[in-house]
Coordinates of all heavy atoms in Angstrom, one line a residue:
M1 N -9.3 -13.9 -1.6 CA -9.3 -12.5 -1.2 C -9.5 -12.5 0.4 O -10.3 -13.3 0.9 CB -10.4 -11.7 -1.9 CG -10.6 -10.3 -1.4 SD -11.9 -9.3 -2.1 CE -12.4 -10.2 -3.5
C2 N -8.9 -11.6 1.0 CA -9.0 -11.4 2.5 C -9.6 -10.0 2.7 O -9.0 -9.1 2.3 CB -7.7 -11.6 3.1 SG -7.7 -11.4 4.9
V3 N -10.8 -10.0 3.3 CA -11.4 -8.7 3.6 C -11.4 -8.4 5.1 O -11.8 -9.3 5.8 CB -12.8 -8.6 3.0 CG1 -13.5 -7.3 3.4 CG2 -12.8 -8.9 1.5
L4 N -10.9 -7.3 5.5 CA -10.8 -7.0 6.9 C -11.4 -5.6 7.2 O -11.1 -4.6 6.5 CB -9.3 -6.9 7.2 CG -8.8 -6.7 8.6 CD1 -9.3 -7.8 9.5 CD2 -7.3 -6.6 8.7
A5 N -12.3 -5.5 8.1 CA -12.9 -4.3 8.5 C -12.3 -3.8 9.8 O -12.4 -4.6 10.8 CB -14.4 -4.4 8.6
L6 N -11.8 -2.7 9.9 CA -11.2 -2.1 11.1 C -12.1 -1.1 11.7 O -12.8 -0.4 11.0 CB -9.8 -1.5 10.8 CG -8.8 -2.4 10.2 CD1 -7.5 -1.6 10.0 CD2 -8.6 -3.6 11.0
A7 N -12.1 -1.0 13.1 CA -13.0 -0.1 13.8 C -12.2 0.5 15.0 O -11.3 -0.2 15.5 CB -14.3 -0.7 14.2
G8 N -12.5 1.7 15.4 CA -11.8 2.2 16.6 C -10.5 2.8 16.2 O -10.4 3.6 15.3
E9 N -9.5 2.4 17.0 CA -8.1 3.0 16.8 C -7.2 1.9 16.4 O -7.3 0.7 17.0 CB -7.7 3.6 18.1 CG -8.6 4.8 18.5 CD -8.1 5.5 19.7 OE1 -7.1 5.1 20.4 OE2 -8.7 6.6 20.1
L10 N -6.2 2.2 15.6 CA -5.2 1.3 15.2 C -3.9 2.0 15.6 O -3.5 3.0 15.0 CB -5.2 1.0 13.7 CG -4.1 0.1 13.1 CD1 -4.0 -1.2 13.9 CD2 -4.2 -0.1 11.6
D11 N -3.3 1.5 16.7 CA -2.1 2.1 17.2 C -1.1 1.0 17.7 O -1.4 -0.2 17.6 CB -2.4 3.1 18.2 CG -3.2 2.6 19.4 OD1 -3.1 1.4 19.7 OD2 -3.9 3.4 20.0
R12 N -0.1 1.4 18.4 CA 0.9 0.5 18.9 C 0.4 -0.5 19.9 O 0.9 -1.6 20.1 CB 2.1 1.2 19.5 CG 1.8 2.0 20.8 CD 3.1 2.6 21.3 NE 2.8 3.3 22.6 CZ 2.7 2.7 23.8 NH1 3.0 1.4 23.9 NH2 2.4 3.4 24.8
T13 N -0.8 -0.2 20.5 CA -1.3 -1.1 21.5 C -2.0 -2.4 20.9 O -2.2 -3.4 21.5 CB -2.4 -0.4 22.4 OG1 -3.5 0.0 21.6 CG2 -1.8 0.7 23.1
N14 N -2.4 -2.2 19.6 CA -3.1 -3.4 19.0 C -2.6 -3.7 17.6 O -3.0 -4.7 17.0 CB -4.6 -3.1 18.9 CG -4.9 -1.8 18.2 OD1 -4.1 -1.2 17.5 ND2 -6.1 -1.3 18.4
S15 N -1.6 -3.0 17.0 CA -1.1 -3.3 15.7 C -0.4 -4.7 15.6 O -0.5 -5.4 14.6 CB -0.2 -2.2 15.1 OG 0.9 -2.1 16.0
G16 N 0.2 -5.1 16.7 CA 0.9 -6.4 16.7 C -0.1 -7.5 16.6 O 0.1 -8.5 15.9
E17 N -1.2 -7.4 17.3 CA -2.3 -8.4 17.3 C -2.9 -8.5 15.9 O -3.1 -9.6 15.4 CB -3.3 -8.0 18.3 CG -4.4 -9.1 18.4 CD -5.4 -8.7 19.5 OE1 -5.1 -7.9 20.4 OE2 -6.6 -9.2 19.4
L18 N -3.1 -7.3 15.3 CA -3.7 -7.3 13.9 C -2.7 -7.9 12.9 O -3.1 -8.6 12.0 CB -4.0 -5.9 13.5 CG -4.6 -5.7 12.1 CD1 -5.9 -6.6 12.0 CD2 -5.0 -4.2 11.9
A19 N -1.4 -7.6 13.1 CA -0.4 -8.2 12.2 C -0.4 -9.7 12.3 O -0.3 -10.4 11.2 CB 1.0 -7.6 12.5
S20 N -0.5 -10.2 13.5 CA -0.5 -11.7 13.7 C -1.8 -12.3 13.0 O -1.7 -13.3 12.3 CB -0.6 -12.0 15.1 OG 0.6 -11.7 15.7
Y21 N -2.9 -11.6 13.2 CA -4.1 -12.1 12.5 C -4.0 -12.1 11.0 O -4.4 -13.1 10.4 CB -5.3 -11.2 13.0 CG -6.6 -11.6 12.3 CD1 -7.3 -12.7 12.7 CD2 -7.0 -10.9 11.2 CE1 -8.5 -13.0 12.1 CE2 -8.2 -11.3 10.5 CZ -8.9 -12.3 11.0 OH -10.0 -12.7 10.3
L22 N -3.5 -11.0 10.5 CA -3.3 -11.0 9.0 C -2.4 -12.1 8.5 O -2.7 -12.7 7.4 CB -2.7 -9.6 8.6 CG -3.7 -8.6 8.1 CD1 -3.0 -7.2 8.0 CD2 -4.4 -9.0 6.9
K23 N -1.4 -12.4 9.2 CA -0.5 -13.5 8.8 C -1.2 -14.8 8.8 O -0.9 -15.7 7.9 CB 0.8 -13.5 9.7 CG 1.7 -12.4 9.4 CD 3.0 -12.5 10.3 CE 3.9 -11.3 10.1 NZ 5.0 -11.3 11.0
Q24 N -2.1 -15.0 9.7 CA -2.9 -16.3 9.8 C -4.0 -16.3 8.8 O -4.3 -17.4 8.2 CB -3.5 -16.5 11.2 CG -2.4 -16.7 12.2 CD -3.1 -16.8 13.6 OE1 -4.2 -16.5 13.8 NE2 -2.2 -17.0 14.6
A25 N -4.6 -15.2 8.5 CA -5.8 -15.1 7.7 C -5.5 -15.1 6.2 O -6.2 -15.7 5.4 CB -6.7 -13.9 8.0
R26 N -4.4 -14.5 5.8 CA -4.1 -14.3 4.4 C -3.2 -15.5 3.9 O -2.2 -15.8 4.4 CB -3.3 -13.0 4.2 CG -3.0 -12.8 2.7 CD -2.2 -11.4 2.6 NE -1.8 -11.3 1.2 CZ -0.7 -11.8 0.7 NH1 0.2 -12.4 1.5 NH2 -0.4 -11.7 -0.5
R27 N -3.7 -16.1 2.8 CA -2.9 -17.1 2.1 C -2.0 -16.4 1.0 O -2.4 -15.4 0.5 CB -3.8 -18.1 1.5 CG -4.6 -18.9 2.5 CD -5.5 -19.9 1.8 NE -6.6 -20.3 2.7 CZ -7.8 -19.9 2.6 NH1 -8.1 -19.0 1.7 NH2 -8.7 -20.3 3.4
P28 N -0.9 -17.0 0.7 CA -0.1 -16.5 -0.4 C -0.9 -16.3 -1.7 O -1.7 -17.2 -2.1 CB 1.0 -17.5 -0.6 CG 1.2 -18.2 0.7 CD -0.3 -18.2 1.3
G29 N -0.8 -15.1 -2.3 CA -1.6 -14.8 -3.5 C -2.9 -14.2 -3.2 O -3.5 -13.7 -4.2
D30 N -3.4 -14.2 -2.0 CA -4.6 -13.5 -1.7 C -4.5 -12.0 -1.7 O -3.5 -11.4 -1.1 CB -5.1 -13.8 -0.3 CG -5.8 -15.2 -0.2 OD1 -6.1 -15.8 -1.2 OD2 -6.2 -15.5 1.0
H31 N -5.4 -11.3 -2.4 CA -5.5 -9.9 -2.3 C -6.1 -9.5 -1.0 O -6.8 -10.3 -0.4 CB -6.3 -9.3 -3.5 CG -5.8 -9.6 -4.8 ND1 -4.8 -8.9 -5.4 CD2 -6.2 -10.6 -5.7 CE1 -4.5 -9.4 -6.6 NE2 -5.3 -10.4 -6.8
V32 N -5.7 -8.3 -0.5 CA -6.3 -7.9 0.8 C -7.0 -6.6 0.6 O -6.5 -5.7 0.0 CB -5.1 -7.7 1.9 CG1 -5.7 -7.1 3.2 CG2 -4.4 -9.0 2.1
V33 N -8.2 -6.6 1.1 CA -9.0 -5.3 1.1 C -9.2 -5.0 2.6 O -9.7 -5.8 3.4 CB -10.4 -5.5 0.4 CG1 -11.2 -4.3 0.6 CG2 -10.2 -5.9 -1.0
V34 N -8.8 -3.7 3.0 CA -9.0 -3.3 4.3 C -10.0 -2.1 4.3 O -9.8 -1.1 3.7 CB -7.7 -2.8 4.9 CG1 -7.9 -2.3 6.4 CG2 -6.6 -3.9 4.9
D35 N -11.1 -2.3 5.0 CA -12.2 -1.3 5.1 C -11.9 -0.4 6.3 O -11.8 -0.9 7.5 CB -13.5 -2.1 5.3 CG -14.7 -1.1 5.4 OD1 -14.5 0.1 5.3 OD2 -15.8 -1.6 5.6
L36 N -11.6 0.8 6.1 CA -11.3 1.8 7.1 C -12.4 2.7 7.5 O -12.2 3.6 8.3 CB -10.1 2.6 6.6 CG -8.8 1.9 6.2 CD1 -7.8 2.9 5.6 CD2 -8.2 1.1 7.3
A37 N -13.6 2.4 7.1 CA -14.8 3.3 7.3 C -15.0 3.6 8.8 O -15.4 4.7 9.2 CB -16.0 2.7 6.7
E38 N -14.8 2.6 9.6 CA -15.1 2.8 11.1 C -13.8 3.0 11.9 O -13.8 3.0 13.1 CB -15.8 1.5 11.6 CG -17.2 1.3 11.0 CD -18.1 2.4 11.3 OE1 -18.1 2.9 12.4 OE2 -18.9 2.8 10.4
L39 N -12.7 3.2 11.2 CA -11.4 3.5 11.9 C -11.3 5.0 12.2 O -11.4 5.8 11.3 CB -10.2 3.1 11.0 CG -8.9 3.0 11.7 CD1 -8.8 1.9 12.8 CD2 -7.8 2.8 10.7
S40 N -11.2 5.3 13.5 CA -11.2 6.7 13.9 C -9.8 7.3 14.1 O -9.6 8.5 14.0 CB -12.0 6.9 15.2 OG -11.4 6.1 16.2
F41 N -8.8 6.4 14.2 CA -7.4 6.9 14.5 C -6.5 5.9 14.0 O -6.7 4.7 14.2 CB -7.2 7.2 16.0 CG -5.8 7.6 16.3 CD1 -5.4 8.9 16.2 CD2 -4.9 6.6 16.8 CE1 -4.1 9.2 16.5 CE2 -3.6 7.0 17.2 CZ -3.2 8.3 17.0
M42 N -5.3 6.3 13.5 CA -4.3 5.4 13.1 C -2.9 6.1 13.3 O -2.8 7.3 12.8 CB -4.4 5.0 11.6 CG -3.3 4.1 11.1 SD -3.6 3.4 9.5 CE -3.6 4.9 8.5
D43 N -2.0 5.5 14.0 CA -0.7 6.1 14.2 C 0.3 5.5 13.3 O -0.1 4.7 12.4 CB -0.3 6.1 15.7 CG 0.1 4.7 16.2 OD1 0.0 3.7 15.4 OD2 0.4 4.6 17.4
S44 N 1.6 5.8 13.5 CA 2.6 5.3 12.6 C 2.7 3.7 12.6 O 3.1 3.1 11.6 CB 3.9 5.9 12.9 OG 4.3 5.6 14.2
S45 N 2.4 3.1 13.8 CA 2.5 1.6 13.8 C 1.4 1.0 12.9 O 1.6 0.0 12.3 CB 2.4 1.1 15.2 OG 1.1 1.5 15.8
G46 N 0.2 1.6 12.9 CA -0.8 1.2 11.9 C -0.4 1.4 10.5 O -0.7 0.5 9.6
L47 N 0.2 2.5 10.2 CA 0.7 2.8 8.9 C 1.8 1.7 8.5 O 1.7 1.2 7.4 CB 1.3 4.2 8.8 CG 1.7 4.7 7.5 CD1 0.6 4.8 6.5 CD2 2.4 6.0 7.6
H48 N 2.7 1.4 9.4 CA 3.7 0.4 9.1 C 3.1 -0.9 8.9 O 3.5 -1.7 8.0 CB 4.7 0.4 10.2 CG 5.7 1.5 10.2 ND1 6.7 1.6 9.4 CD2 5.7 2.6 11.0 CE1 7.4 2.7 9.6 NE2 6.8 3.4 10.6
L49 N 2.0 -1.3 9.6 CA 1.3 -2.5 9.4 C 0.8 -2.6 8.0 O 0.9 -3.6 7.3 CB 0.2 -2.7 10.4 CG -0.7 -3.9 10.2 CD1 0.0 -5.2 10.5 CD2 -2.0 -3.7 11.0
L50 N 0.1 -1.5 7.5 CA -0.4 -1.5 6.2 C 0.7 -1.6 5.1 O 0.6 -2.3 4.1 CB -1.2 -0.3 5.9 CG -2.5 -0.1 6.7 CD1 -3.2 1.2 6.5 CD2 -3.5 -1.3 6.4
L51 N 1.8 -0.9 5.4 CA 2.9 -1.0 4.4 C 3.6 -2.4 4.4 O 3.9 -2.9 3.3 CB 4.0 0.0 4.8 CG 3.6 1.5 4.5 CD1 4.6 2.4 5.1 CD2 3.4 1.7 3.0
D52 N 3.7 -3.0 5.5 CA 4.2 -4.4 5.6 C 3.3 -5.4 4.8 O 3.7 -6.3 4.1 CB 4.4 -4.9 7.0 CG 5.5 -4.2 7.7 OD1 6.4 -3.7 7.1 OD2 5.6 -4.3 9.0
C53 N 2.0 -5.2 5.0 CA 1.0 -6.0 4.3 C 1.1 -5.8 2.8 O 1.0 -6.7 2.0 CB -0.4 -5.7 4.8 SG -1.7 -6.7 4.1
H54 N 1.3 -4.5 2.4 CA 1.4 -4.2 1.0 C 2.6 -4.9 0.4 O 2.6 -5.5 -0.7 CB 1.6 -2.7 0.9 CG 1.9 -2.2 -0.5 ND1 1.0 -2.3 -1.6 CD2 3.0 -1.6 -1.0 CE1 1.6 -1.7 -2.6 NE2 2.8 -1.3 -2.3
R55 N 3.8 -4.9 1.1 CA 5.0 -5.5 0.6 C 4.8 -7.0 0.5 O 5.2 -7.7 -0.4 CB 6.1 -5.2 1.5 CG 6.7 -3.8 1.3 CD 8.0 -3.6 2.1 NE 7.8 -3.4 3.5 CZ 7.6 -2.1 4.0 NH1 7.5 -1.1 3.2 NH2 7.4 -2.0 5.3
A56 N 4.1 -7.6 1.5 CA 3.9 -9.1 1.5 C 3.0 -9.4 0.3 O 3.2 -10.5 -0.3 CB 3.2 -9.5 2.8
C57 N 2.0 -8.6 0.0 CA 1.1 -8.9 -1.1 C 1.9 -8.8 -2.4 O 1.8 -9.7 -3.2 CB -0.1 -7.9 -1.1 SG -1.3 -8.1 0.1
L58 N 2.7 -7.8 -2.6 CA 3.4 -7.6 -3.8 C 4.4 -8.7 -4.0 O 4.6 -9.2 -5.1 CB 4.2 -6.3 -3.8 CG 3.4 -5.0 -3.9 CD1 4.3 -3.8 -3.8 CD2 2.6 -5.0 -5.2
A59 N 5.0 -9.2 -2.9 CA 6.0 -10.3 -3.0 C 5.4 -11.6 -3.6 O 6.1 -12.4 -4.2 CB 6.5 -10.6 -1.6
D60 N 4.1 -11.8 -3.5 CA 3.5 -13.0 -4.1 C 2.4 -12.7 -5.1 O 1.5 -13.5 -5.3 CB 3.0 -14.0 -3.0 CG 2.0 -13.4 -2.0 OD1 1.3 -12.5 -2.4 OD2 1.9 -14.0 -0.9
G61 N 2.6 -11.6 -5.7 CA 1.7 -11.2 -6.9 C 0.3 -10.8 -6.6 O -0.6 -10.8 -7.4
A62 N 0.1 -10.3 -5.3 CA -1.2 -9.8 -4.9 C -1.2 -8.3 -4.7 O -0.2 -7.7 -5.0 CB -1.7 -10.6 -3.7
S63 N -2.2 -7.8 -4.1 CA -2.3 -6.4 -3.9 C -3.1 -6.1 -2.6 O -3.9 -6.9 -2.2 CB -2.9 -5.6 -5.1 OG -4.2 -6.1 -5.3
L64 N -2.8 -4.9 -2.0 CA -3.6 -4.4 -0.9 C -4.4 -3.2 -1.4 O -3.9 -2.4 -2.1 CB -2.6 -3.9 0.2 CG -3.2 -3.1 1.4 CD1 -4.1 -4.0 2.2 CD2 -2.1 -2.5 2.2
H65 N -5.7 -3.2 -1.0 CA -6.6 -2.1 -1.4 C -7.2 -1.6 -0.1 O -7.7 -2.3 0.8 CB -7.7 -2.6 -2.3 CG -7.2 -3.1 -3.6 ND1 -7.3 -2.3 -4.7 CD2 -6.5 -4.2 -4.0 CE1 -6.7 -2.9 -5.8 NE2 -6.3 -4.1 -5.3
L66 N -7.2 -0.3 0.0 CA -7.9 0.4 1.2 C -9.2 1.0 0.7 O -9.3 1.5 -0.4 CB -7.0 1.5 1.7 CG -5.5 1.2 2.0 CD1 -4.8 2.4 2.5 CD2 -5.5 0.1 3.1
A67 N -10.2 0.8 1.6 CA -11.5 1.3 1.3 C -12.0 2.3 2.4 O -11.8 2.0 3.6 CB -12.5 0.1 1.2
A68 N -12.7 3.3 1.9 CA -13.4 4.2 2.8 C -12.5 4.8 3.9 O -12.9 4.9 5.1 CB -14.6 3.5 3.4
A69 N -11.4 5.4 3.5 CA -10.5 6.1 4.5 C -11.0 7.5 4.7 O -11.1 8.2 3.7 CB -9.1 6.1 4.0
Y70 N -11.4 7.8 5.9 CA -11.9 9.1 6.2 C -11.2 9.7 7.4 O -10.5 9.0 8.2 CB -13.4 9.1 6.5 CG -14.2 8.5 5.4 CD1 -14.8 7.3 5.6 CD2 -14.4 9.1 4.2 CE1 -15.6 6.7 4.6 CE2 -15.2 8.6 3.2 CZ -15.8 7.4 3.4 OH -16.5 6.8 2.4
G71 N -11.3 11.0 7.7 CA -10.8 11.6 8.9 C -9.4 11.5 9.1 O -8.5 11.6 8.2
A72 N -9.0 11.2 10.4 CA -7.6 11.1 10.8 C -6.8 10.0 10.0 O -5.7 10.3 9.6 CB -7.5 10.9 12.3
P73 N -7.4 8.8 9.8 CA -6.6 7.8 9.0 C -6.3 8.3 7.6 O -5.2 8.1 7.1 CB -7.5 6.6 9.1 CG -8.3 6.7 10.3 CD -8.5 8.2 10.4
A74 N -7.3 8.9 7.0 CA -7.0 9.5 5.6 C -6.0 10.5 5.6 O -5.1 10.6 4.7 CB -8.3 10.0 5.1
R75 N -6.0 11.3 6.7 CA -5.0 12.4 6.8 C -3.6 11.8 6.9 O -2.6 12.3 6.3 CB -5.3 13.3 8.0 CG -4.4 14.4 8.2 CD -4.6 15.5 7.2 NE -3.7 16.7 7.5 CZ -3.0 17.3 6.6 NH1 -3.1 17.0 5.3 NH2 -2.2 18.3 6.9
V76 N -3.4 10.8 7.8 CA -2.1 10.1 7.9 C -1.6 9.5 6.6 O -0.5 9.7 6.2 CB -2.2 9.0 9.0 CG1 -1.0 8.1 9.0 CG2 -2.4 9.6 10.4
L77 N -2.5 8.9 5.8 CA -2.2 8.4 4.5 C -1.7 9.5 3.6 O -0.8 9.3 2.8 CB -3.3 7.6 4.0 CG -3.7 6.3 4.7 CD1 -5.0 5.8 4.3 CD2 -2.6 5.2 4.5
E78 N -2.4 10.6 3.6 CA -2.1 11.7 2.7 C -0.8 12.4 3.1 O 0.1 12.6 2.2 CB -3.2 12.7 2.7 CG -4.5 12.3 2.1 CD -5.6 13.2 2.3 OE1 -5.4 14.4 2.6 OE2 -6.8 12.8 2.2
V79 N -0.6 12.7 4.4 CA 0.5 13.5 4.8 C 1.8 12.7 4.6 O 2.9 13.2 4.2 CB 0.4 13.9 6.3 CG1 1.7 14.3 6.9 CG2 -0.7 14.9 6.5
T80 N 1.8 11.4 4.8 CA 3.0 10.5 4.6 C 3.2 10.2 3.2 O 4.3 9.7 2.9 CB 2.8 9.2 5.4 OG1 1.7 8.5 5.0 CG2 2.7 9.5 6.9
G81 N 2.3 10.4 2.3 CA 2.5 10.1 0.9 C 2.1 8.7 0.5 O 2.1 8.3 -0.6
V82 N 1.7 7.9 1.5 CA 1.3 6.5 1.3 C 0.1 6.4 0.4 O -0.1 5.5 -0.4 CB 1.1 5.8 2.6 CG1 0.5 4.4 2.4 CG2 2.4 5.7 3.4
A83 N -0.8 7.4 0.5 CA -2.0 7.4 -0.3 C -1.8 7.4 -1.8 O -2.6 6.9 -2.6 CB -2.9 8.6 0.0
R84 N -0.6 7.9 -2.2 CA -0.2 7.9 -3.6 C 0.0 6.6 -4.3 O -0.1 6.4 -5.5 CB 1.0 8.8 -3.9 CG 0.7 10.3 -3.7 CD 1.9 11.1 -3.9 NE 2.9 10.7 -2.9 CZ 3.9 11.5 -2.6 NH1 4.1 12.6 -3.1 NH2 4.7 11.1 -1.7
F85 N 0.5 5.6 -3.4 CA 0.8 4.3 -4.1 C 0.0 3.1 -3.5 O 0.2 2.0 -4.0 CB 2.3 4.0 -4.0 CG 2.9 3.9 -2.7 CD1 3.0 2.6 -2.1 CD2 3.4 5.0 -2.0 CE1 3.5 2.5 -0.8 CE2 4.0 4.8 -0.7 CZ 4.0 3.6 -0.1
L86 N -0.8 3.3 -2.5 CA -1.7 2.2 -2.1 C -3.1 2.5 -2.7 O -3.6 3.6 -2.5 CB -1.8 2.2 -0.5 CG -0.7 1.6 0.3 CD1 -1.1 1.6 1.7 CD2 -0.4 0.2 -0.2
P87 N -3.6 1.5 -3.4 CA -4.9 1.8 -4.1 C -6.0 2.1 -3.0 O -6.1 1.3 -2.1 CB -5.2 0.4 -4.8 CG -3.9 -0.2 -4.9 CD -3.0 0.2 -3.8
G88 N -6.6 3.2 -3.2 CA -7.7 3.6 -2.3 C -9.0 3.7 -3.0 O -9.1 4.0 -4.2
H89 N -10.1 3.3 -2.4 CA -11.4 3.3 -3.0 C -12.4 4.0 -2.0 O -12.3 3.9 -0.8 CB -11.8 1.8 -3.2 CG -10.8 1.1 -4.0 ND1 -10.8 1.1 -5.4 CD2 -9.8 0.3 -3.6 CE1 -9.8 0.3 -5.8 NE2 -9.2 -0.2 -4.8
A90 N -13.4 4.6 -2.6 CA -14.4 5.3 -1.8 C -15.2 4.4 -0.9 O -15.6 4.8 0.2 CB -15.3 6.1 -2.7
T91 N -15.5 3.2 -1.4 CA -16.3 2.2 -0.7 C -15.7 0.8 -0.6 O -14.9 0.5 -1.5 CB -17.7 2.1 -1.3 OG1 -17.6 1.5 -2.6 CG2 -18.4 3.5 -1.4
L92 N -16.2 0.0 0.3 CA -15.7 -1.3 0.4 C -16.2 -2.1 -0.9 O -15.4 -2.9 -1.5 CB -16.3 -2.0 1.6 CG -16.0 -3.5 1.8 CD1 -14.5 -3.8 1.8 CD2 -16.8 -4.0 3.0
Q93 N -17.4 -1.9 -1.3 CA -17.9 -2.5 -2.5 C -17.0 -2.2 -3.8 O -16.8 -3.1 -4.6 CB -19.4 -2.1 -2.8 CG -20.3 -2.6 -1.7 CD -20.3 -1.7 -0.5 OE1 -19.7 -0.7 -0.4 NE2 -21.0 -2.2 0.6
E94 N -16.6 -1.0 -3.9 CA -15.7 -0.6 -5.0 C -14.4 -1.3 -5.0 O -13.9 -1.8 -6.0 CB -15.5 0.9 -5.0 CG -14.7 1.5 -6.1 CD -14.5 3.0 -6.0 OE1 -15.5 3.7 -5.9 OE2 -13.3 3.4 -6.0
A95 N -13.8 -1.4 -3.8 CA -12.5 -2.1 -3.6 C -12.7 -3.6 -4.0 O -11.8 -4.1 -4.7 CB -12.0 -1.9 -2.2
I96 N -13.7 -4.2 -3.5 CA -13.9 -5.6 -3.8 C -14.1 -5.9 -5.3 O -13.6 -6.8 -5.9 CB -15.1 -6.2 -2.9 CG1 -14.7 -6.3 -1.5 CG2 -15.5 -7.6 -3.4 CD1 -15.8 -6.6 -0.5
A97 N -14.9 -5.0 -5.9 CA -15.2 -5.1 -7.3 C -13.9 -5.0 -8.1 O -13.7 -5.7 -9.1 CB -16.2 -4.1 -7.8
T98 N -13.0 -4.1 -7.7 CA -11.8 -3.9 -8.4 C -10.9 -5.1 -8.3 O -10.3 -5.6 -9.3 CB -11.0 -2.7 -7.8 OG1 -11.8 -1.5 -8.0 CG2 -9.7 -2.5 -8.4
V99 N -10.8 -5.7 -7.1 CA -10.0 -6.9 -6.9 C -10.6 -8.1 -7.8 O -9.9 -8.8 -8.4 CB -10.0 -7.3 -5.4 CG1 -9.4 -8.7 -5.3 CG2 -9.2 -6.3 -4.7
L100 N -11.9 -8.2 -7.8 CA -12.6 -9.3 -8.5 C -12.4 -9.2 -10.0 O -12.4 -10.2 -10.7 CB -14.0 -9.4 -8.2 CG -14.4 -9.8 -6.8 CD1 -15.9 -9.7 -6.5 CD2 -13.8 -11.2 -6.5
R101 N -12.2 -8.0 -10.5 CA -11.9 -7.7 -12.0 C -10.5 -8.1 -12.4 O -10.2 -8.2 -13.6 CB -12.2 -6.3 -12.3 CG -13.7 -6.0 -12.5 CD -13.9 -4.7 -13.1 NE -13.4 -3.5 -12.4 CZ -14.0 -2.8 -11.5 NH1 -15.3 -3.1 -11.2 NH2 -13.4 -1.8 -10.9
R102 N -9.6 -8.2 -11.4 CA -8.2 -8.5 -11.7 C -8.1 -9.9 -12.2 O -8.8 -10.8 -11.8 CB -7.3 -8.3 -10.5 CG -7.3 -6.9 -10.0 CD -6.4 -6.8 -8.8 NE -5.0 -6.9 -9.2 CZ -4.1 -5.9 -9.2 NH1 -4.5 -4.8 -8.7 NH2 -2.9 -6.1 -9.6
P103 N -7.1 -10.1 -13.1 CA -6.9 -11.5 -13.7 C -6.4 -12.4 -12.6 O -5.8 -12.1 -11.7 CB -5.9 -11.3 -14.8 CG -5.3 -10.0 -14.6 CD -6.2 -9.2 -13.8

């Protein structure tokens, strides 16, 4: 499992760096949990990054879980409809527990 905590803003100025980090940190088959509790802003490039990660996880039998999305990031996920198909959890602990229960 790969757990990532984001803080501040996720936008076009830093989404490429985060994408590179994720590619290095995640091994094939690893589930990804992204803690959004401290994320104050996310634009479309951040959303695309999460969707790309979701697709990469699905391609090798894993999953992406979002934890503690509040404020503007939660609004972006809701307005775009992404919140309907990316697993979201109220807390980081809940997201990790869900992943650990998976076969």
Side-chain angles (χ1 to χ4, degrees):
M1 175 182 348
C2 179
V3 178
L4 183 65
L6 303 182
E9 298 183 355
L10 177 56
D11 57 27
R12 68 177 181 85
T13 65
N14 56 16
S15 61
E17 184 178 337
L18 181 57
S20 294
Y21 175 80
L22 263 171
K23 286 180 184 177
Q24 292 174 357
R26 182 181 173 271
R27 294 181 201 101
D30 277 356
H31 298 281
V32 176
V33 175
V34 181
D35 182 1
L36 303 174
E38 297 296 321
L39 192 67
S40 60
F41 175 81
M42 178 173 61
D43 71 2
S44 62
S45 62
L47 185 64
H48 285 284
L49 171 74
L50 293 176
L51 291 170
D52 288 345
C53 183
H54 173 66
R55 282 189 283 273
C57 287
L58 289 178
D60 57 25
S63 57
L64 169 68
H65 294 258
L66 304 178
Y70 304 111
R75 182 77 176 132
V76 169
L77 293 167
E78 290 172 22
V79 167
T80 59
V82 172
R84 288 182 297 203
F85 65 90
L86 283 184
H89 307 275
T91 66
L92 176 60
Q93 294 79 7
E94 182 183 307
I96 291 171
T98 298
V99 170
L100 290 174
R101 284 192 298 266
R102 296 181 71 113

